[in-house]
Amino acid sequence: MKEKIFVTKSSIPSIDEYMDEIRDIWESHHLTNMGIKHMEFERKLKKLLCVDNLELMVNGHMALEMTIQAFGFKPNSEVITTPYTFASTTHAIVRNNLKPVFCDIDEENFCIDSKKIESLITPNTVAILPVHVYGNICDIDVIDKIAKKYNLKVIYDAAHAFNEEYCGQNIATFGDASIFSFHATKVFNSIEGGVSCFKDLTLKDKIYSLKNFGIKDEETVRDIGANAKMNEFCAAMGLCNLRHLENEIEKRKNIFELYVDGLRDVKGLRINIPYSTVKSNYSYFPILFDEEKYGVDRDWMKKRLEEEGICARKYFYPITSKFDCYKNKFDINNTPIAQKVSESVLTIPLYSDLKEEVVYRIIKILRNPR
Ligand SMILES: *Cc1c(COP(=O)(O)O)cnc(C)c1O
């Protein structure tokens, strides 16, 4: 029986490195509530991401939810977003009592189609919430112009884009805010974790307060907050993994390039190559299947890979506007491209220590569907 190959595998430091990192926590008995590891992790992230303001969070979802909340939009206001994303993006809008307005995606890079945003703006629109899907970067310049023209906020779900650069500038610096996820399955992890980066310093107090029950000081509770603090053990894992980040991404790049070389000429398969303006983190390897040209469809190939012990993921399927929990709430026909892509996409295994022989095996299967 061959070893089962998952679509991703969490990066971890050596156990000794982690033990060394958590020793201070043991000695201090300070396990959470913005301790020394939390502070050090924030300091290092600020430097890496080239931002002045950020707040660590328990996960990427809460970073997004609380960042949206901090802007204080009027209930039922509209947020223009994409349905081609992880559940988190849409849920974060809805859980803030706001209304997602779904814009279709660009067929080429799977991000929100910036040409279609303007026609969706109404007097109730307050923000645009695009996603840098698979680490592909949205049309930042166009989105920025639209936002300025209509006085809208831009909040990027950058969960896939950690440590990337667009035109030589760190991706965390764009928009009014960007959030990242440090979930175990992401390029960079702190077991669970996330961060909110934002331009306006006056939001800092609010976001900090929201992640800690809205507590202002010993006797004042000012906001209806929740609990979204990152604990010291997660921060310690983040500190360890940060040391290996460049190396991890380099290893991913090698695998990514093997896939590109092996699959770029296959009729009926479309692969996703980063644009030259983007310094990629090589987070995912999505493939689009054109059944007519390729001979078999996405679902067939997913099963075929499974027979070989290889897990591939329909990421993203279904589009969020089709979720059961949103039944009859949205007109799913407004985003035909997102719908089409979600029905033909498969992301294949990609992680730093994926063995070359496995990569070649996957390429061989994909090159010979029958
Ligand atoms: C992972 C992810 C999130 C949520 O991050 P968590 O850390 O898992 O809460 C949000 N948006 C997108 C696009 C993601 O992939």
Side-chain angles (χ1 to χ4, degrees):
M1 188 60 194
K2 278 179 198 150
E3 176 198 4
K4 201 168 156 85
I5 305 297
F6 294 98
V7 74
T8 186
K9 190 169 156 187
S10 303
S11 304
I12 44 175
S14 73
I15 190 148
D16 289 339
E17 185 180 348
Y18 188 63
M19 288 303 190
D20 276 347
E21 194 64 55
I22 64 173
R23 212 169 296 280
D24 307 339
I25 308 174
W26 235 263
E27 278 154 19
S28 71
H29 288 245
H30 192 156
L31 309 183
T32 186
N33 285 20
M34 288 63 86
I36 45 172
K37 298 296 166 189
H38 185 285
M39 287 184 327
E40 188 184 345
F41 192 21
E42 280 197 341
R43 201 164 55 239
K44 296 220 158 115
L45 283 172
K46 260 188 207 175
K47 198 159 160 232
L48 178 73
L49 301 177
C50 308
V51 297
D52 294 327
N53 310 311
L54 55 73
E55 276 301 325
L56 271 176
M57 294 277 175
V58 66
N59 57 47
H61 178 78
M62 289 313 284
L64 186 56
E65 214 176 285
M66 303 211 140
T67 304
I68 297 171
Q69 192 181 348
F71 282 99
F73 301 123
K74 223 171 69 199
N76 301 316
S77 300
E78 294 170 10
V79 177
I80 297 174
T81 187
T82 168
Y84 192 72
T85 183
F86 185 54
S88 173
T89 319
T90 305
H91 288 351
I93 297 169
V94 175
R95 289 170 55 84
N96 268 294
N97 298 313
L98 299 165
K99 192 176 159 230
V101 173
F102 293 108
C103 180
D104 211 353
I105 60 169
D106 181 322
E107 189 146 22
E108 193 67 41
N109 70 7
F110 317 113
C111 297
I112 197 165
D113 186 343
S114 60
K115 294 186 294 301
K116 295 183 181 151
I117 293 175
E118 221 165 335
S119 66
L120 298 172
I121 296 173
T122 74
N124 294 326
T125 309
V126 289
I128 307 172
L129 205 166
V131 181
H132 299 308
V133 180
Y134 309 129
N136 291 337
I137 302 305
C138 303
D139 274 340
I140 286 180
D141 309 316
V142 179
I143 293 169
D144 204 42
K145 272 204 196 93
I146 296 170
K148 286 217 170 71
K149 183 170 165 191
Y150 293 92
N151 195 23
L152 308 174
K153 300 293 181 198
V154 181
I155 304 166
Y156 284 108
D157 180 340
H160 293 181
F162 185 72
N163 204 40
E164 291 196 329
E165 287 174 10
Y166 172 70
C167 297
Q169 203 178 321
N170 197 291
I171 203 65
T173 61
F174 295 100
D176 293 286
S178 290
I179 71 93
F180 297 90
S181 163
F182 304 154
H183 186 257
T185 56
K186 302 294 205 281
V187 167
F188 167 75
N189 83 78
S190 61
I191 309 174
E192 291 257 13
V195 71
S196 167
C197 304
F198 44 93
K199 288 256 167 68
D200 182 359
L201 176 62
T202 63
L203 287 176
K204 188 166 180 68
D205 190 37
K206 187 82 177 177
I207 297 180
Y208 182 89
S209 151
L210 287 174
K211 80 171 179 183
N212 189 28
F213 304 102
I215 295 171
K216 175 117 176 71
D217 58 45
E218 242 176 277
E219 297 182 1
T220 322
V221 178
R222 191 194 55 193
D223 300 302
I224 307 172
N227 180 3
K229 304 184 299 285
M230 177 181 282
N231 70 58
E232 290 290 278
F233 292 86
C234 288
M237 182 64 108
L239 286 169
C240 291
N241 282 336
L242 216 45
R243 293 185 197 113
H244 305 286
L245 179 65
E246 287 298 331
N247 189 35
E248 287 288 313
I249 292 177
E250 196 53 39
K251 289 203 272 186
R252 281 175 170 272
K253 180 170 190 252
N254 290 336
I255 294 155
F256 194 97
E257 283 169 356
L258 290 179
Y259 275 141
V260 171
D261 285 345
L263 297 171
R264 71 185 322 156
D265 64 334
V266 182
K267 225 175 89 192
L269 291 191
R270 183 151 77 78
I271 59 174
N272 175 51
I273 296 171
Y275 293 172
S276 61
T277 46
V278 178
K279 186 179 148 238
S280 179
N281 63 11
Y282 305 97
S283 47
Y284 298 92
F285 202 92
I287 301 176
L288 257 55
F289 293 78
D290 180 337
E291 189 185 353
E292 255 170 54
K293 295 197 184 113
Y294 185 61
V296 302
D297 69 3
R298 181 270 304 268
D299 291 357
W300 190 94
M301 184 46 79
K302 185 175 188 294
K303 279 215 191 77
R304 172 81 188 88
L305 288 163
E306 260 160 32
E307 285 163 16
E308 296 285 332
I310 296 157
C311 300
R313 233 182 120 191
K314 298 186 205 177
Y315 193 66
F316 300 106
Y317 176 84
I319 52 174
T320 64
S321 50
K322 282 186 84 173
F323 285 174
D324 286 9
C325 56
Y326 296 129
K327 207 171 175 152
N328 302 325
K329 287 242 167 58
F330 306 111
D331 185 355
I332 56 161
N333 300 316
N334 290 343
T335 58
I337 295 170
Q339 174 68 15
K340 195 176 91 185
V341 169
S342 78
E343 280 168 0
S344 59
V345 72
L346 209 54
T347 57
I348 58 175
L350 176 58
Y351 48 87
S352 61
D353 63 353
L354 185 62
K355 293 190 188 71
E356 284 195 11
E357 70 210 47
V358 177
V359 174
Y360 290 126
R361 197 147 63 81
I362 294 170
I363 290 171
K364 198 169 157 201
I365 297 165
L366 284 160
R367 290 191 70 91
N368 302 284
R370 288 272 187 207

